[in-house]
Amino acid sequence: MQVYRRVSDIQVISFDFDDTLYNNVPIIQQAENKLLQFVNRKLAQVQVQPLTEAEWMSAKHSFATEHCSLAHDVTALRQAFLRHLFSNYKLAGATAVAEQAYQLFFQYRNNFTVDKQVVTWLEQLKTRYKLVAITNGNADPELIGLTGIFEHVLRPKTGLKMKPASDLFAQASQLMQVKPQQILHVGDSEFTDVAGAVKSGCKAVWFDADGRHYKGQVLPDMVISSVEELYLYLGE
């Protein structure tokens, strides 16, 4: 643990989800693989050659570039891409198949449980602070073992930009009826979490479980490698 500035008068702790409360990389990789397998099975019905992983990633990137209005809502973007893909290949019932594909992805995207020890430390923090989640992703706390932990789960959507924009931090301040400086945000990204929180007037904790080199230009208030460290520090 590294403390750069001592924090005080904290009323709310906000947590990022992906790669903060769990390792998201293998989860997303599996979900993407299962989704691509489903897509290729459906495309085979209209005699389309299977998409390679590179082609799949390129198609998603191109669609996202052309539909910037959906950039801040990862769920809406993925759903729109799947509808576009199946419609483009003239698959019968493209809209329904796209929804099946998304639900399959969503199932595997939430096919894990947060480590019980992490949940225990969150529950301990919850006895002292109000907890909210601020995430750019679409993990469902009810499906991954975080039921009842957070008072609010805030995500980008139409009219609310994703981190590092201040929208979600401002929403947390408003919903919890506290000043931004009374919110301590915890996240793994130097850019979306630390810079986003600090520039929004909140305090920031960089979560680094792997001893990475800090690449951000905005300094966090502290660096932790586990939720336990945060609990022990705030419990002093």
Side-chain angles (χ1 to χ4, degrees):
M1 178 182 221
Q2 177 70 52
V3 178
Y4 294 107
R5 293 181 293 269
R6 294 190 66 85
V7 299
S8 60
D9 193 26
I10 297 300
Q11 301 294 317
V12 176
I13 304 176
S14 62
F15 284 90
D16 174 49
F17 276 170
D18 297 345
D19 298 313
T20 297
L21 298 182
Y22 49 85
N23 180 6
N24 192 52
V25 174
I27 297 164
I28 286 296
Q29 286 178 340
Q30 182 188 44
E32 287 284 1
N33 289 339
K34 294 293 184 180
L35 176 57
L36 182 55
Q37 291 171 14
F38 177 91
V39 167
N40 280 331
R41 287 197 299 272
K42 292 300 179 180
L43 295 184
Q45 297 176 7
V46 287
Q47 286 75 52
V48 173
Q49 289 294 316
L51 297 175
T52 65
E53 184 176 348
E55 291 170 337
W56 171 250
M57 296 300 292
S58 177
K60 289 201 304 176
H61 177 74
S62 295
F63 184 85
T65 300
E66 295 170 2
H67 296 81
C68 297
S69 62
L70 298 174
H72 290 277
D73 189 332
V74 295
T75 294
L77 179 62
R78 186 177 293 274
Q79 290 173 327
F81 167 69
L82 290 168
R83 289 193 298 269
H84 166 80
L85 180 76
F86 290 125
S87 296
N88 189 53
Y89 285 111
K90 304 297 190 295
L91 192 73
T95 300
V97 175
E99 180 59 22
Q100 291 174 16
Y102 179 77
Q103 290 303 324
L104 177 74
F105 170 83
F106 189 74
Q107 173 191 340
Y108 280 99
R109 193 264 176 279
N110 290 285
N111 187 31
F112 69 98
T113 302
V114 175
D115 185 88
K116 291 182 179 179
Q117 188 60 67
V118 173
V119 176
T120 297
W121 290 118
L122 289 172
E123 290 173 339
Q124 292 295 322
L125 284 168
K126 187 177 172 65
T127 66
R128 303 181 184 184
Y129 304 91
K130 297 178 180 179
L131 303 188
V132 299
I134 299 180
T135 174
N136 285 346
N138 55 4
D140 187 336
E142 303 296 318
L143 299 178
I144 63 176
L146 294 175
T147 301
I149 297 294
F150 301 102
E151 295 193 26
H152 298 283
V153 178
L154 308 181
R155 313 174 191 275
K157 57 184 179 180
T158 302
L160 287 175
K161 295 180 180 179
M162 61 172 54
K163 301 174 292 182
S166 63
D167 298 38
L168 298 179
F169 298 106
Q171 186 184 35
S173 176
Q174 180 180 20
L175 287 172
M176 303 307 292
Q177 298 183 330
V178 297
K179 299 176 182 178
Q181 58 265 34
Q182 293 176 306
I183 299 175
L184 181 67
H185 180 69
V186 183
D188 69 290
S189 172
E190 302 99 314
F191 310 106
T192 60
D193 291 307
V194 174
V198 172
K199 291 180 179 179
S200 299
C202 305
K203 297 179 173 66
V205 176
W206 185 46
F207 183 86
D208 173 30
D210 304 314
R212 293 179 287 143
H213 174 69
Y214 190 75
K215 298 178 181 179
Q217 296 181 338
V218 177
L219 194 69
D221 291 273
M222 68 182 75
V223 180
I224 62 171
S225 61
S226 70
V227 178
E228 178 183 8
E229 286 185 344
L230 182 65
Y231 169 75
L232 294 175
Y233 176 79
L234 294 178
E236 294 179 350

